[in-house]
Amino acid sequence: MATYEKISYERNGDTAIIAFNDDKTLNACGVDTAIELLHAFETAASEARCTIFTGKGRGFCSGANLGGMGSGPEIAYPGSRPDAGKALDAFYNPLVTAIREHPHPVITAVNGAAAGVGCALGLMGDLVIASKGAYFLQAFRRIGLVPDGGSTWLLARTIGRVRAMEMALLGEKVSADQAHAWGLVNRVVEDAELLPTALDFAGKLAAGPTVALALTRKLIWDATESDFDAALHGERVAQRTAGRTDDFKEGVGAFLQKRPAVFKGR
């Protein structure tokens, strides 16, 4: 198993738990962190049936690490003109794309601050759980930058143009309860119940028909940017794939025999 410096990775049964683990920076996400996260998600994709993404310590992620690698010029040839978007192309965009294209459900368990790119990452989950002490912050305006990490797309499609504008243009904290009222998160729980709740959800998903769940999450992600006819076609193709799995045979058999299904993820 890989040894990471900025994150942690562990398995709980068929669930992978990936966590920011750099409390001294409030889990800031530099280029080095993004590289480790991308590797961890690749590992989880190959050996787990559900992934939890969370943060250890005081918060989820305070945003990009402006004091270290990843602010832009550091990954260019010395003397090059600053390009704050270069790190997006090379590191952050591949990370959020890998989460979106993950082959099984992803649960984000957001504790404390989820700011800047941390806000985007916290909202990338198929299910988003927040602790009562969590908050979401589009902090980019405070340093003269624009939202990134997919923030504009995620916010506009999740809470609508007006509220997305409010978060991005005003740069004010959105509490966990407000995020729940707006539909940004699925659950708000006591701080101590955050990981247990995520593990409970993950247990149900990891024991489910993995292929069908993977196809379902892809269809719903795709539906946010496709028309109705494309959605119908996507469902038709995915249903053919799901209908050829052992889990489908088991599900039907269990239903007819009036017993709980035992899915194997195949």
Side-chain angles (χ1 to χ4, degrees):
M1 182 176 293
T3 300
Y4 301 117
E5 294 184 2
K6 303 293 185 179
I7 69 169
S8 66
Y9 179 93
E10 61 183 292
R11 285 275 303 281
N12 185 308
D14 286 326
T15 298
I17 305 173
I18 300 171
F20 288 103
N21 191 24
D22 188 22
D23 197 42
K24 65 181 180 296
T25 66
L26 198 58
N27 291 332
C29 186
V31 164
D32 47 358
T33 307
I35 291 172
E36 291 187 357
L37 286 171
L38 186 57
H39 182 268
F41 272 97
E42 290 173 351
T43 301
S46 66
E47 66 179 26
R49 294 173 64 185
C50 185
T51 296
I52 294 173
F53 187 20
T54 189
K56 292 187 176 181
R58 297 168 294 157
F60 178 74
C61 175
S62 60
N65 188 353
L66 299 179
M69 296 175 63
S71 56
E74 294 86 349
I75 61 172
Y77 189 81
S80 298
R81 294 184 64 189
D83 182 355
K86 189 179 292 292
L88 298 179
D89 282 338
F91 305 102
Y92 295 103
N93 290 351
L95 172 59
V96 294
T97 299
I99 297 173
R100 173 173 173 164
E101 296 178 353
H102 207 54
H104 54 244
V106 175
I107 299 170
T108 47
V110 181
N111 54 307
V117 73
C119 179
L121 292 170
L123 297 174
M124 281 296 299
D126 303 311
L127 296 175
V128 184
I129 307 170
S131 68
K132 283 188 176 293
Y135 65 84
F136 300 85
L137 173 64
Q138 287 289 298
F140 301 93
R141 72 176 305 281
R142 300 185 179 190
I143 56 171
L145 290 178
V146 304
D148 61 26
S151 292
T152 55
W153 188 94
L154 284 165
L155 293 174
R157 282 164 173 74
T158 303
I159 57 176
R161 177 183 61 86
V162 173
R163 285 172 173 160
M165 288 287 191
E166 180 177 340
M167 286 188 70
L169 298 183
L170 296 182
E172 297 174 343
K173 294 180 181 179
V174 175
S175 69
D177 286 335
Q178 185 64 69
H180 186 254
W182 281 2
L184 271 176
V185 305
N186 298 93
R187 298 282 194 280
V188 177
V189 299
E190 297 294 338
D191 292 5
E193 293 301 312
L194 181 64
L195 189 56
T197 301
L199 284 169
D200 179 60
F201 279 25
K204 296 172 182 176
L205 294 172
T210 308
V211 174
L213 295 181
L215 292 167
T216 299
R217 73 183 296 275
K218 182 181 186 304
L219 286 168
I220 293 175
W221 274 106
D222 289 349
T224 61
E225 56 188 19
S226 64
D227 59 30
F228 185 62
D229 287 340
L232 291 178
H233 177 69
E235 290 173 356
R236 184 261 176 273
V237 173
Q239 201 69 293
R240 178 179 61 199
T241 301
R244 292 174 177 173
T245 63
D246 292 340
D247 279 345
F248 172 66
K249 296 176 184 177
E250 165 63 11
V252 172
F255 175 79
L256 294 175
Q257 297 167 27
K258 297 181 171 32
R259 60 173 176 82
V262 181
F263 295 116
K264 301 297 185 181
R266 298 188 294 270

